[in-house]
Amino acid sequence: MENYFALHMDRRQVDAVSSLGLAHMGDGVFELLVRAWLCSHGRTKAGNLHRETVAYVSAPAQSRFVERLEPLLTPEEEAIYHRGRNAHVHGVPKNATPREYARATGLECLFGHLYLEGKTERINQLFVTVMEELYGI
């Protein structure tokens, strides 16, 4: 039975997934990390959880996250990020600029790629480092 919590696809398989497919996967990964982070830091009031989660996973928030993340990326990770950032999206939410949305898509593509390759330790390292810098945890 496949363990989807600890998935490990080979590089060829992951590269075959479209940029927007990787971003779709990474969107879920990033949101799960944010939800876990909120709960682990005592932010568990039901009325606020959704609102706080949305504040962290919105395109403008993810774009700010990317500003801190980019210097931490390896050349390979940077190429994956650029692949997602340069993907042709069909629309931009009204709460984001095209630049913010492109950067958020790049972040999600990177996290999706790393997740599918089974590189969850690297995802966690990047996430924690940036969250500590941005939010002082």
Side-chain angles (χ1 to χ4, degrees):
M1 176 172 62
E2 190 76 47
N3 180 354
Y4 292 100
F5 278 113
L7 199 58
H8 182 77
M9 296 167 58
D10 68 41
R11 180 64 186 256
R12 189 177 33 84
Q13 291 173 300
V14 177
D15 286 345
V17 178
S18 71
S19 299
L20 295 179
L22 293 173
H24 175 75
M25 183 78 249
D27 178 53
V29 170
F30 191 79
E31 184 165 340
L32 181 61
L33 288 168
V34 166
R35 287 174 179 232
W37 183 82
L38 289 171
C39 288
S40 70
H41 287 85
R43 296 181 174 142
T44 58
K45 291 188 177 181
N48 295 331
L49 275 175
H50 179 71
R51 190 170 28 260
E52 284 197 60
T53 300
V54 169
Y56 287 101
V57 300
S58 69
Q62 287 180 334
S63 181
R64 286 188 300 276
F65 191 95
V66 168
E67 289 174 16
R68 301 293 205 283
L69 180 75
E70 281 185 294
L72 306 173
L73 299 180
T74 66
E76 180 182 339
E77 292 167 344
E78 191 171 349
I80 296 164
Y81 163 74
H82 286 286
R83 176 182 167 193
R85 188 194 67 191
N86 296 334
H88 295 287
V89 296
H90 299 286
V92 175
K94 60 185 171 189
N95 69 329
T97 66
R99 182 174 187 265
E100 289 171 332
Y101 195 65
R103 290 166 61 102
T105 303
L107 169 70
E108 292 169 348
C109 183
L110 173 63
F111 275 34
H113 196 284
L114 292 172
Y115 175 78
L116 292 175
E117 280 193 315
K119 296 181 178 177
T120 54
E121 286 184 38
R122 179 62 175 155
I123 295 169
N124 193 61
Q125 178 187 33
L126 294 170
F127 181 80
V128 169
T129 300
V130 174
M131 292 301 277
E132 286 176 352
E133 187 176 325
L134 283 174
Y135 304 107
I137 59 168

